[in-house]
Coordinates of all heavy atoms in Angstrom, one line a residue:
P562 N 42.2 -38.6 14.8 CA 42.5 -39.9 14.4 C 43.2 -40.0 13.0 O 43.8 -41.0 12.7 CB 41.1 -40.6 14.3 CG 40.2 -39.5 14.1 CD 40.7 -38.3 14.8
E563 N 43.1 -38.9 12.2 CA 43.8 -38.9 11.0 C 45.3 -39.0 11.1 O 46.0 -39.6 10.4 CB 43.4 -37.7 10.2 CG 44.0 -37.6 8.8 CD 43.6 -36.3 8.1 OE1 42.5 -35.8 8.3 OE2 44.4 -35.9 7.2
T564 N 45.8 -38.3 12.2 CA 47.2 -38.2 12.4 C 47.7 -39.1 13.6 O 48.8 -39.4 13.8 CB 47.7 -36.8 12.7 OG1 47.0 -36.3 13.8 CG2 47.4 -35.9 11.5
G565 N 46.7 -39.4 14.5 CA 47.0 -40.1 15.7 C 47.5 -39.2 16.8 O 47.9 -39.6 17.9
D566 N 47.4 -37.9 16.6 CA 47.8 -36.9 17.6 C 46.7 -36.4 18.5 O 45.6 -36.2 18.0 CB 48.5 -35.7 16.9 CG 49.7 -36.0 16.1 OD1 50.4 -36.9 16.5 OD2 49.9 -35.4 15.1
G567 N 47.0 -36.1 19.7 CA 46.0 -35.6 20.6 C 46.6 -34.3 21.3 O 47.7 -34.0 21.2
A568 N 45.6 -33.6 21.8 CA 46.0 -32.3 22.5 C 45.2 -32.3 23.8 O 44.1 -32.7 23.9 CB 45.6 -31.1 21.7
S569 N 45.9 -31.9 24.9 CA 45.2 -31.9 26.2 C 44.2 -30.8 26.4 O 43.3 -31.0 27.2 CB 46.3 -31.8 27.3 OG 47.0 -30.6 27.1
S570 N 44.3 -29.8 25.6 CA 43.3 -28.7 25.6 C 42.9 -28.3 24.2 O 43.6 -28.5 23.3 CB 43.9 -27.5 26.4 OG 44.9 -26.9 25.7
G571 N 41.7 -27.7 24.2 CA 41.3 -27.2 22.9 C 40.3 -26.1 23.0 O 39.8 -25.7 24.1
K572 N 39.9 -25.5 21.9 CA 38.9 -24.4 21.8 C 38.0 -24.7 20.6 O 38.4 -25.2 19.6 CB 39.6 -23.1 21.7 CG 40.4 -22.7 22.8 CD 41.1 -21.3 22.6 CE 41.9 -20.9 23.8 NZ 42.5 -19.6 23.7
L573 N 36.7 -24.4 20.8 CA 35.8 -24.4 19.8 C 35.2 -23.0 19.6 O 35.0 -22.3 20.6 CB 34.6 -25.3 20.1 CG 34.9 -26.8 20.4 CD1 33.7 -27.5 20.8 CD2 35.6 -27.4 19.2
K574 N 35.1 -22.5 18.4 CA 34.5 -21.2 18.1 C 33.5 -21.3 17.0 O 33.8 -21.7 15.9 CB 35.6 -20.2 17.7 CG 35.1 -18.8 17.4 CD 36.2 -17.9 17.1 CE 35.6 -16.5 16.9 NZ 36.6 -15.5 16.6
L575 N 32.3 -21.0 17.3 CA 31.2 -21.0 16.3 C 31.3 -19.6 15.6 O 31.0 -18.6 16.2 CB 29.8 -21.2 17.0 CG 28.7 -21.4 16.0 CD1 28.9 -22.6 15.1 CD2 27.4 -21.5 16.9
Q576 N 31.6 -19.7 14.3 CA 31.7 -18.5 13.5 C 30.4 -17.9 13.0 O 29.4 -18.7 13.0 CB 32.6 -18.8 12.2 CG 34.0 -19.3 12.6 CD 34.8 -19.7 11.3 OE1 36.0 -19.7 11.4 NE2 34.1 -19.9 10.2
A577 N 30.3 -16.7 12.6 CA 29.1 -16.1 12.2 C 28.5 -16.8 11.0 O 27.3 -16.8 10.8 CB 29.3 -14.6 11.9
D578 N 29.3 -17.4 10.2 CA 28.8 -18.1 9.0 C 28.3 -19.5 9.3 O 28.0 -20.3 8.4 CB 29.8 -18.1 7.9 CG 31.1 -18.9 8.2 OD1 31.2 -19.4 9.4 OD2 32.1 -18.9 7.4
G579 N 28.4 -19.9 10.6 CA 27.9 -21.2 11.0 C 28.9 -22.3 11.0 O 28.7 -23.4 11.4
K580 N 30.1 -22.0 10.6 CA 31.2 -23.0 10.6 C 31.8 -23.0 12.0 O 31.7 -22.1 12.8 CB 32.3 -22.6 9.6 CG 31.8 -22.7 8.2 CD 32.9 -22.4 7.2 CE 32.3 -22.5 5.8 NZ 33.3 -22.1 4.8
L581 N 32.5 -24.1 12.3 CA 33.0 -24.3 13.7 C 34.5 -24.5 13.6 O 35.0 -25.4 12.9 CB 32.4 -25.6 14.3 CG 32.8 -25.9 15.8 CD1 32.2 -24.8 16.7 CD2 32.3 -27.3 16.2
Q582 N 35.2 -23.6 14.2 CA 36.7 -23.7 14.3 C 37.0 -24.7 15.5 O 36.5 -24.5 16.6 CB 37.4 -22.4 14.7 CG 37.5 -21.4 13.5 CD 38.2 -20.2 13.9 OE1 38.7 -20.0 15.0 NE2 38.3 -19.2 13.0
V583 N 37.8 -25.7 15.2 CA 38.2 -26.6 16.2 C 39.7 -26.5 16.4 O 40.5 -26.8 15.4 CB 37.8 -28.1 15.8 CG1 38.2 -29.1 16.9 CG2 36.3 -28.2 15.6
K584 N 40.2 -26.1 17.5 CA 41.6 -25.9 17.8 C 42.1 -26.8 18.9 O 41.5 -26.9 20.0 CB 41.8 -24.4 18.2 CG 43.3 -24.1 18.4 CD 43.5 -22.7 18.9 CE 43.4 -21.7 17.8 NZ 43.8 -20.3 18.2
G585 N 43.2 -27.5 18.6 CA 43.8 -28.3 19.7 C 45.2 -27.8 19.9 O 45.9 -27.4 19.0
C586 N 45.6 -27.7 21.2 CA 46.9 -27.1 21.5 C 47.7 -28.0 22.5 O 47.1 -28.7 23.4 CB 46.7 -25.8 22.3 SG 45.8 -24.6 21.3
V587 N 49.0 -28.1 22.2 CA 49.9 -28.8 23.0 C 51.0 -27.7 23.4 O 51.7 -27.2 22.5 CB 50.6 -30.0 22.3 CG1 51.6 -30.6 23.2 CG2 49.5 -31.0 21.9
A588 N 51.0 -27.4 24.6 CA 51.9 -26.3 25.1 C 51.5 -25.0 24.3 O 50.4 -24.6 24.3 CB 53.4 -26.6 24.9
I589 N 52.4 -24.4 23.5 CA 52.1 -23.2 22.8 C 51.8 -23.5 21.3 O 51.6 -22.6 20.5 CB 53.3 -22.2 22.9 CG1 54.6 -22.8 22.3 CG2 53.4 -21.7 24.3 CD1 55.7 -21.7 22.1
F590 N 51.9 -24.8 20.9 CA 51.7 -25.1 19.5 C 50.2 -25.6 19.3 O 49.7 -26.5 20.0 CB 52.6 -26.3 19.1 CG 54.0 -25.9 19.3 CD1 54.8 -26.3 20.4 CD2 54.7 -25.1 18.4 CE1 56.1 -26.0 20.6 CE2 56.0 -24.7 18.6 CZ 56.7 -25.1 19.7
C591 N 49.5 -24.9 18.4 CA 48.1 -25.2 18.1 C 47.9 -25.5 16.7 O 48.6 -25.1 15.8 CB 47.3 -24.0 18.5 SG 47.3 -23.6 20.3
R592 N 46.8 -26.3 16.4 CA 46.4 -26.6 15.0 C 44.9 -26.4 15.0 O 44.2 -26.8 15.9 CB 46.8 -28.0 14.7 CG 46.6 -28.3 13.2 CD 47.1 -29.6 12.8 NE 46.0 -30.6 13.0 CZ 46.2 -31.9 13.1 NH1 47.4 -32.4 13.0 NH2 45.2 -32.6 13.3
T593 N 44.4 -25.7 14.0 CA 43.0 -25.4 13.8 C 42.5 -26.0 12.6 O 43.1 -26.0 11.5 CB 42.8 -23.9 13.8 OG1 43.3 -23.3 15.0 CG2 41.3 -23.5 13.7
K594 N 41.3 -26.6 12.7 CA 40.5 -27.1 11.5 C 39.2 -26.4 11.6 O 38.7 -26.0 12.6 CB 40.3 -28.6 11.6 CG 41.6 -29.4 11.3 CD 41.3 -30.8 11.1 CE 42.5 -31.6 10.7 NZ 42.3 -33.0 10.4
V595 N 38.5 -26.3 10.4 CA 37.2 -25.6 10.3 C 36.2 -26.7 9.8 O 36.4 -27.3 8.8 CB 37.2 -24.4 9.3 CG1 35.8 -23.9 9.2 CG2 38.2 -23.4 9.8
W596 N 35.2 -26.9 10.6 CA 34.2 -27.9 10.3 C 32.9 -27.2 9.8 O 32.7 -26.1 10.2 CB 33.8 -28.7 11.5 CG 34.9 -29.6 12.1 CD1 36.2 -29.8 11.6 CD2 34.8 -30.4 13.3 NE1 36.8 -30.7 12.4 CE2 36.1 -31.1 13.4 CE3 33.8 -30.7 14.2 CZ2 36.3 -32.0 14.4 CZ3 34.1 -31.6 15.2 CH2 35.3 -32.2 15.3
T597 N 32.2 -27.9 9.0 CA 30.9 -27.4 8.5 C 29.8 -28.3 9.0 O 30.0 -29.5 9.1 CB 30.9 -27.2 7.0 OG1 31.1 -28.5 6.4 CG2 31.9 -26.3 6.5
R598 N 28.7 -27.7 9.2 CA 27.5 -28.5 9.7 C 27.0 -29.4 8.6 O 26.8 -28.9 7.4 CB 26.4 -27.6 10.2 CG 25.4 -28.3 11.0 CD 24.3 -27.3 11.6 NE 24.8 -26.5 12.7 CZ 24.8 -26.9 14.0 NH1 24.5 -28.1 14.3 NH2 25.2 -26.1 14.9
A599 N 26.8 -30.6 8.9 CA 26.3 -31.6 7.9 C 24.8 -31.4 7.7 O 24.1 -31.0 8.6 CB 26.6 -33.0 8.3
R600 N 24.4 -31.6 6.5 CA 22.9 -31.5 6.2 C 22.3 -32.8 6.2 O 22.8 -33.8 5.8 CB 22.8 -30.8 4.8 CG 23.5 -29.5 4.8 CD 22.9 -28.6 3.8 NE 23.8 -27.6 3.3 CZ 24.4 -26.7 4.0 NH1 24.2 -26.6 5.3 NH2 25.2 -25.8 3.5

């Protein structure tokens, strides 16, 4: 919602440090953000 862009597919990866990689892809173009668990 920050950019208004959407992706039809995505991937989530829970890292060993507890952070979550959130990746959205359109065709071969992807963007990844790293989220941290809220306390």
Side-chain angles (χ1 to χ4, degrees):
E563 182 181 332
T564 63
D566 296 329
S569 59
S570 67
K572 295 181 181 182
L573 303 177
K574 180 178 181 179
L575 188 59
Q576 301 175 160
D578 62 3
K580 294 179 181 177
L581 185 68
Q582 283 185 3
V583 179
K584 180 187 283 190
C586 300
V587 176
I589 60 170
F590 302 101
C591 297
R592 191 171 87 199
T593 302
K594 288 191 173 186
V595 177
W596 294 358
T597 58
R598 198 174 284 275
R600 304 207 202 299

